Amino acid sequence: MGDPLLAPLRDALARELPHARPVSAAGDPLAGSLTVAAALAGGTLRLPRDPRLLVLTTTLTSQTGTGNR
């Protein structure tokens, strides 16, 4: 991704999580997104609850006709 994108990320990581140890990625961005998608679909994604993160719900809505049945 390069320094213009990674430098602010490293700064934020050091500020928000000073004890975290950055590591190299285990794969490319597509592999990571597929891993997250599979964990979301399987209900096994383990992230801390944070109001700034996206929240997915599976309740039935009358307008879209989607959700658990």
Side-chain angles (χ1 to χ4, degrees):
M1 289 200 310
D3 228 28
L5 294 174
L6 292 176
L9 179 64
R10 289 184 193 113
D11 292 343
L13 179 63
R15 184 177 58 255
E16 297 291 326
L17 301 167
H19 301 297
R21 181 178 54 97
V23 296
S24 297
D28 62 20
L30 178 58
S33 63
L34 292 174
T35 301
V36 170
L40 277 171
T44 59
L45 185 64
R46 296 179 358 196
L47 291 176
R49 296 237 178 247
D50 188 317
R52 297 172 292 183
L53 295 176
L54 174 67
V55 176
L56 301 175
T57 60
T58 57
T59 57
L60 181 64
T61 63
S62 60
Q63 295 174 345
T64 63
T66 60
N68 289 338
R69 295 178 188 214

